[in-house]
Amino acid sequence: MAKDLTLELKFRDPARARALADAMQRNLDAIGREVSVMHVCGSHEQAIARFGLRAVLPPQLRLIMGPGCPVCVTDGPEVDEAVALAQGGAHVCTYGDMLRLPGTSRSLADAQADGARVHVVYSVAQAVDVARAHPADEVVFMASGFETTAVATAAVALGELPANFSILSVHKYVPAAMEVVSRSKASAIEGFLAAGHAAIITGHALFEPFAARTGAPVVVAGFEPLDILAAIVKLTDLIREGRPEVFNAYPRCVSREGNLPAQQVLWKVFQPRAGTWRGIGEVPDGNLDLRPEWAHLDARRRLEPDVSGVRDDAAAGLERDCLCGPIMLGLAAPHDCPLFGRACVPEAPVGACMVSSEGTCRIWHTYGGAPDLRRVEGRAAGRG
Amino acid sequence: MEKPGAKIGLKHGSGGRAMRQLIEDVFLELASPVDGIGLAALDDGAALRVGDQWLVVTTDSHVVHPIFFPGGDIGRLSVSGTVNDLAMMGATEPLGLTCAVVLEDGFPLADLVRVRDSLKATALEAGAPFVTGDTKVMGKGELDGIVLNTTGVALTRRVVSDAGLRAGDALIITGHVGDHGMAVMSRRHDLGLQGDLRSDVAPLNGLVRAALLAGGDDVVAMKDPTRGGVSGALHEMAAKGKVGIVVEEAQVPVRDQVRAACDMLGIDPLLVANEGKAVIGVRAASVERVLAALRAHPLGRDAAVFGHAIAERPGSVILDTGLGRRLLTEPEGELLPRIC
């Protein structure tokens, strides 16, 4: 308890938050126009929404959540593969968020309700346990997440595994999506906050060619409220000064080179491939596939899922109105969607962004959305 | 209104938006005009004019599972729930309570005696005599153990509704938030949490009497934050009073062990049920007097001013986190069914 309290005092100090907000305002006043910046991480959005940080940002600054939820960007046809494997008799293990993620016609939860053997696991090791418990059956781990989670999958792939275990990789690589967003003229993003936990592995030097090429500065940010506010101040510094550079605002965890042994493990098992991200489209190098040397572990090569019975490319009903794609590209906010909070709620999600606890819509729904509270009287007289 | 084939779900008993919708769609039909506060007000109870006084009536059924939990049991809960609903309307001296019990075939007699002893002890504590009752038994599997209903009646000269807030009023919470819900949840799901998670279930009429004596007419609105937690109570008070409410998160008293359990489960303590707390709206001039009176009472030692009403954004509850501001959501479905 005592240690947590120290941390809270250090990273949740209201006086420091106000000073950072003032610094941001000075930067935006100096820039003299509206500025849009993007973060690409569900954990950042959770902290921003939980602590109501948008209410202290300068009115000229738009802070947008981009494609920062690995579950949300997993495409319908990828879910179809898992559903086809489950309906074909394999055990499919996956993280809880993936269960209700819609495929083109059904989700793993639908398949489970019809009797398919779908297991929710908390780690890849648990999926291996399921394989050991069912030696006569094929057991597939549907592996989702960004490069952080992919390292854990890779580490297990390098170990001793039962012969009936394979991996359906839907892992995604974030830096690839930042490229796509930065090229989208419509979103006009002038700077990025990079996710601190991913950068622990990749290192921040990774973003240097990106910043140089796109002209958009990148600041690596931690996850406490003051981490995020300080990173935004730095990002607006760089935008004001016209410096497309990379700055590490999370030095207590992130280094320039990153975790080299983890990178070795990751690239020994996975290789990047172009793939379609839900709502965003083709992302060059956006998906992480198992390398050919690991074909025996690759569920796609080994079990060749036949999706003909589950694929349905005609989006039906409510999904036609779903704005998840524009939301993930930063072109729309959840409140722009006619379904948000009405036909689409956490108990009955329509779009991917409401399914996952890392999705923009789900987070906004949980924390009261993002109404403009900047001008509401915040404090009682004589307080604060 | 309702879709054909629609069925009741657990969320309709959660004290949140779904339950309010059900009551408005189905039961409001039963309301008829009365001299006082009737069903249409959807308050904690009714207040009917009798001479120059008000007869306050409230009723409550209890289905908590498990029936014995750390800090209390279904007996203490059902006396406290009814006494507190009376107190929230300003009626702190119950004339009498009823006790109707529905039992399942096979329910242990020893447990029933234990519940009876708890009913008796809590009624004594509240100064609320049992005056009549009813007993029914249903077949095995037709209900889960026991359902307890209590009704209470009391007279008062002044009724406090939950609609009385005006911009500028202060909001007081009479102690730590979230104790009951987390104690029941931890016991039910065997979370194996360390630390002492105990329900706060208690009759509050003595505490509320102290607040009313100190604040008089400046105590303008009261609500016990049971199902739906403090957030649910504040949303009702904001909607009925047509005011906005700002909550200062840092001022909300939460025990360390409750906060730790909530963090672990990803639950906001402001959405967790309480059974021994009141949210009290007080005109600014009397805040310190009422706060001092509450803190002088054993059940109000940790009372704190944690928010205030504003004219803007009527019906909304804004959470000031110290670092920023956001809307506090109203509980939707069941955080935990059968909490009381």
Side-chain angles (χ1 to χ4, degrees):
Chain A
M1 276 298 151
K3 191 173 163 237
D4 289 348
L5 190 63
T6 324
L7 272 177
E8 282 206 10
L9 289 177
K10 194 168 165 192
F11 296 112
R12 299 183 182 179
D13 174 4
R16 290 180 65 187
R18 278 195 290 279
L20 291 168
D22 291 345
M24 256 180 244
Q25 186 63 63
R26 284 194 296 276
N27 275 342
L28 267 294
D29 288 344
I31 295 168
R33 58 182 162 75
E34 291 209 347
V35 171
S36 295
V37 299
M38 178 176 276
H39 72 81
V40 285
C41 176
S43 303
H44 277 156
E45 186 60 32
Q46 293 207 342
I48 291 162
R50 159 73 183 82
F51 292 100
L53 300 186
R54 283 194 180 86
V56 299
L57 298 183
Q60 311 97 309
L61 182 66
R62 284 210 314 148
L63 174 60
I64 297 162
M65 173 167 169
C69 163
V71 174
C72 308
V73 298
T74 300
D75 203 19
E78 295 178 292
V79 176
D80 290 348
E81 291 178 301
V83 170
L85 289 171
Q87 293 186 167
H91 294 254
V92 173
C93 306
T94 196
Y95 298 123
D97 279 8
M98 300 294 287
L99 199 62
R100 291 204 284 174
L101 184 68
T104 61
S105 67
R106 13 186 26 211
S107 65
L108 279 172
D110 296 331
Q112 187 182 42
D114 288 346
R117 293 177 294 188
V118 178
H119 308 259
V120 169
V121 294
Y122 295 93
S123 68
V124 52
Q126 274 189 327
V128 175
D129 290 343
V130 172
R132 292 212 169 91
H134 301 277
D137 301 328
E138 285 290 338
V139 174
V140 178
F141 176 55
M142 186 189 197
S144 66
F146 289 134
E147 50 271 30
T148 34
T149 330
V151 170
T153 308
V156 166
L158 291 173
E160 284 282 315
L161 289 171
N164 61 330
F165 178 80
S166 60
I167 295 168
L168 178 70
S169 172
V170 296
H171 282 305
K172 310 286 177 211
Y173 190 54
V174 177
M178 288 167 62
E179 295 268 2
V180 170
V181 171
S182 71
R183 281 199 300 268
S184 157
K185 287 273 179 293
S187 57
I189 302 300
E190 295 189 53
F192 288 88
L193 292 183
H197 47 22
I200 289 171
I201 290 169
T202 60
H204 62 81
L206 174 84
F207 299 109
E208 284 168 6
F210 169 83
R213 196 165 57 243
T214 62
V218 177
V219 175
V220 177
F223 300 96
E224 286 291 338
L226 290 184
D227 281 329
I228 294 169
L229 292 175
I232 298 173
V233 170
K234 189 65 202 177
L235 192 59
T236 53
D237 283 348
L238 295 172
I239 292 169
R240 191 194 66 202
E241 294 162 12
R243 287 162 48 199
E245 294 167 13
V246 175
F247 183 84
N248 179 12
Y250 197 32
R252 66 183 187 277
C253 294
V254 173
S255 65
R256 190 179 145 75
E257 292 74 29
N259 183 337
L260 293 173
Q263 289 172 36
Q264 277 160 12
V265 167
L266 177 67
W267 299 122
K268 190 166 181 182
V269 173
F270 289 106
Q271 62 186 16
R273 163 179 68 89
T276 303
W277 287 28
R278 187 193 295 261
I280 291 179
E282 166 107 348
V283 179
D285 293 339
N287 286 11
L288 295 174
D289 273 4
L290 289 163
R291 290 184 169 278
E293 305 90 282
W294 306 95
H296 60 286
L297 271 183
D298 187 344
R300 288 195 183 91
R301 294 183 175 103
R302 180 157 122 180
L303 303 174
E304 296 180 344
D306 173 14
V307 298
S308 58
V310 288
R311 180 100 184 230
D312 177 4
D313 286 323
L318 289 174
E319 284 157 42
R320 279 191 299 256
D321 296 328
C322 173
L323 287 188
C324 278
I327 287 168
M328 284 190 282
L329 273 173
L331 302 177
H335 285 309
D336 298 325
C337 179
L339 308 178
F340 176 72
R342 299 181 186 92
C344 182
V345 291
E347 301 82 52
V350 176
C353 298
M354 189 62 90
V355 171
S356 168
S357 57
E358 301 250 296
T360 314
C361 295
R362 175 71 168 273
I363 296 169
W364 282 36
H365 189 82
T366 304
Y367 293 118
D372 190 355
L373 299 176
R374 281 179 282 222
R375 277 174 281 277
V376 170
E377 178 215 351
R379 283 158 206 286
R383 287 176 172 271
Chain B
M1 190 174 61
E2 64 268 29
K3 297 182 192 124
K7 290 195 166 70
I8 297 300
L10 282 171
K11 67 176 180 179
H12 291 117
S14 65
R17 201 163 13 179
M19 185 175 95
R20 209 165 59 207
Q21 192 66 48
L22 177 79
I23 292 171
E24 285 170 9
D25 287 350
V26 177
F27 292 111
L28 218 45
E29 185 83 17
L30 298 175
S32 47
V34 293
D35 182 10
I37 296 174
L39 182 55
L42 301 179
D43 208 323
D44 296 299
L48 308 172
R49 196 189 296 277
V50 177
D52 60 348
Q53 296 199 75
W54 296 92
L55 178 69
V56 179
V57 187
T58 187
T59 190
D60 213 338
S61 296
H62 299 271
V63 297
V64 65
H65 174 83
I67 61 172
F68 302 104
F69 49 84
D73 56 73
I74 193 168
R76 183 168 177 78
L77 188 65
S78 53
V79 172
S80 302
T82 294
V83 167
N84 294 349
D85 279 350
L86 294 175
M88 294 308 120
M89 301 196 68
T92 59
E93 282 164 47
L95 288 171
L97 297 176
T98 70
C99 173
V101 57
V102 188
L103 296 159
E104 183 187 12
D105 180 14
F107 188 80
L109 183 61
D111 283 356
L112 187 60
V113 170
R114 212 175 138 190
V115 170
R116 190 268 327 265
D117 288 345
S118 174
L119 284 167
K120 187 174 170 187
T122 316
L124 197 67
E125 187 180 333
F130 276 105
V131 292
T132 185
D134 177 55
T135 309
K136 298 280 189 314
V137 178
M138 293 178 73
K140 214 165 185 55
E142 292 176 5
L143 84 162
D144 183 13
I146 180 171
V147 175
L148 243 177
N149 173 280
T150 47
T151 295
V153 289
L155 286 169
T156 183
R157 295 199 176 276
R158 176 172 170 254
V159 171
V160 181
S161 86
D162 54 8
L165 285 181
R166 279 200 326 233
D169 291 343
L171 286 157
I172 297 175
I173 178 80
T174 59
H176 291 103
V177 162
D179 293 0
H180 177 72
M182 293 319 287
V184 173
M185 196 176 308
S186 152
R187 170 56 55 93
R188 191 183 308 169
H189 297 300
D190 202 12
L191 295 179
L193 296 171
Q194 296 203 334
D196 193 17
L197 287 172
R198 292 176 67 79
S199 168
D200 58 349
V201 56
L204 293 175
N205 53 329
L207 179 70
V208 170
R209 196 181 306 134
L212 290 171
L213 278 172
D217 289 354
D218 278 355
V219 174
V220 291
M222 291 192 283
K223 190 109 198 129
D224 52 343
T226 56
R227 285 169 303 169
V230 170
S231 173
L234 292 176
H235 275 93
E236 275 201 59
M237 294 170 96
K240 291 181 180 175
K242 300 185 177 62
V243 292
I245 288 177
V246 176
V247 173
E248 288 171 55
E249 192 172 25
Q251 306 304 321
V252 178
V254 183
R255 292 183 204 279
D256 284 348
Q257 59 268 40
V258 169
R259 188 181 297 288
C262 283
D263 279 353
M264 198 176 94
L265 297 167
I267 297 171
D268 186 340
L270 289 169
L271 298 181
V272 177
N274 310 274
E275 290 293 344
K277 298 292 154 22
V279 174
I280 304 180
V282 184
R283 298 271 188 259
S286 295
V287 176
E288 294 308 325
R289 258 199 324 279
V290 172
L291 198 58
L294 288 168
R295 285 179 175 165
H297 191 281
L299 291 174
R301 272 197 295 265
D302 301 302
V305 176
F306 75 113
H308 62 278
I310 58 174
E312 294 157 276
R313 291 204 169 254
S316 293
V317 182
I318 295 167
L319 185 72
D320 189 320
T321 65
L323 300 159
R325 287 192 291 279
R326 64 175 168 91
L327 289 186
L328 189 60
T329 48
E330 194 176 3
E332 169 65 34
E334 100 270 23
L335 190 60
L336 184 67
R338 297 184 59 190
I339 192 82
C340 60

